[in-house]
Amino acid sequence: MMGKSVCFISGKGGVGKTTLAAALGKELAKTKKVLLVELDCGFRGLDLLFQESGVLYHLGDNLSGDDPQTGVRQLRDSGLYFLPAGSDTDYRPEPGRLRARIRQFEGLYDMVLLDAPCGWGPTVQAACRAADEVVVVATPDAVCVRGASTVSERAWALGAQNQRLLLNMVRVDRPSDNPITDFDTILDLVAVPLLGVVPFDRQVHACLGKKEDSGKPLYKECIAAVAKRLQGEQVPLKVG
């Protein structure tokens, strides 16, 4: 049975897309073999988030060879593996090569999470074409929601019709602090089903590189719920 590939995209930077992908990868790896692929070449961050030093091989090395395991690193004997991006800002994966390699990854892992760059560049487009599902990440503010709507529309035009929206950094303890307080308004603007709502939590970055779960109890519960939905389970929406 082939694994499932999920691409995380966003219209704007700063929405916590990479952190979310990493936290979901750790959660899914409790029961699955998971590969997290970083596609944001030149602006890599997974090695820092996971506190893994000494990256020698990366996405470009992987795609240039025949071995799909080149550059893949296991996170401390867990079920989570990750492939970091390189430091060359001019590198763009060849779309056909990327698509073929993702198919190979699906044969080796239960879940393949693709952390795409923000915006709508050629790498994002190639990843959206290749992935089984696209998760659009946004924060509850007008600028990020409009960006999410834009990339969602463009992904849809490419054929990525299996999309869901993930709202991040939501102030569930103080709802009035959210720039957009009515989530129905966000859903109307982005026009894809809601995958989940993840609260704002300052602790997450410090915890990702450790064995314990990331974040406070509510954050952990929301991440766990989103991970289950990504696997096709029907679980109640957790927002606080």
Side-chain angles (χ1 to χ4, degrees):
M1 182 177 180
M2 298 290 286
K4 175 183 178 180
S5 56
V6 180
C7 180
F8 293 82
I9 67 173
S10 66
K12 299 286 290 183
V15 301
K17 172 174 51 58
T18 298
T19 305
L20 267 181
L24 286 166
K26 283 189 68 175
E27 179 65 29
L28 288 163
K30 292 178 180 179
T31 58
K32 302 291 183 181
K33 187 178 181 182
V34 181
L35 175 64
L36 177 56
V37 182
E38 186 174 41
L39 300 177
D40 197 359
C41 298
F43 302 95
R44 68 180 188 217
L46 286 183
D47 56 332
L48 297 178
L49 285 178
F50 290 141
Q51 299 174 23
E52 291 279 335
S53 61
V55 170
L56 296 177
Y57 301 101
H58 49 72
L59 176 68
D61 299 312
N62 184 288
L63 294 181
S64 65
D66 296 326
D67 185 0
Q69 300 289 42
T70 298
V72 174
R73 302 174 61 137
Q74 185 176 12
L75 185 64
R76 297 181 188 86
D77 299 321
S78 70
L80 178 61
Y81 299 74
F82 73 99
L83 175 61
S87 58
D88 184 1
T89 56
D90 294 326
Y91 177 75
R92 300 290 183 273
E94 195 280 316
R97 184 66 174 166
L98 179 63
R99 181 170 58 252
R101 184 49 49 88
I102 290 172
R103 295 288 89 80
Q104 285 184 291
F105 287 150
E106 290 174 341
L108 298 170
Y109 299 90
D110 300 312
M111 297 286 292
V112 180
L113 308 183
L114 309 171
D115 177 31
C118 62
W120 190 244
T123 300
V124 183
Q125 296 173 39
C128 286
R129 283 191 175 102
D132 297 321
E133 180 175 349
V134 171
V135 173
V136 184
V137 181
T139 52
D141 63 87
V143 173
C144 288
V145 168
R146 182 166 66 182
S149 176
T150 299
V151 294
S152 175
E153 290 175 359
R154 281 160 173 70
W156 186 275
L158 288 181
Q161 299 181 359
N162 187 14
Q163 297 186 38
R164 287 189 280 183
L165 174 67
L166 185 53
L167 288 178
N168 192 31
M169 294 192 280
V170 175
R171 295 282 187 171
V172 296
D173 53 341
R174 299 194 303 271
S176 61
D177 287 354
N178 296 309
I180 300 178
T181 57
D182 182 5
F183 291 166
D184 287 337
T185 299
I186 298 174
L187 290 172
D188 287 342
L189 290 170
V190 182
V192 296
L194 182 64
L195 174 64
V197 175
V198 179
F200 177 81
D201 189 342
R202 294 184 184 276
Q203 296 183 359
V204 175
H205 280 84
C207 298
L208 279 172
K210 300 178 181 179
K211 288 187 177 181
E212 62 266 24
D213 291 339
S214 303
K216 296 178 181 178
L218 178 58
Y219 184 92
K220 296 176 188 177
E221 292 175 21
C222 291
I223 288 293
V226 172
K228 289 178 180 177
R229 291 192 200 98
L230 283 175
Q231 297 176 85
E233 295 185 40
Q234 298 293 325
V235 296
L237 180 67
K238 182 73 177 179
V239 295

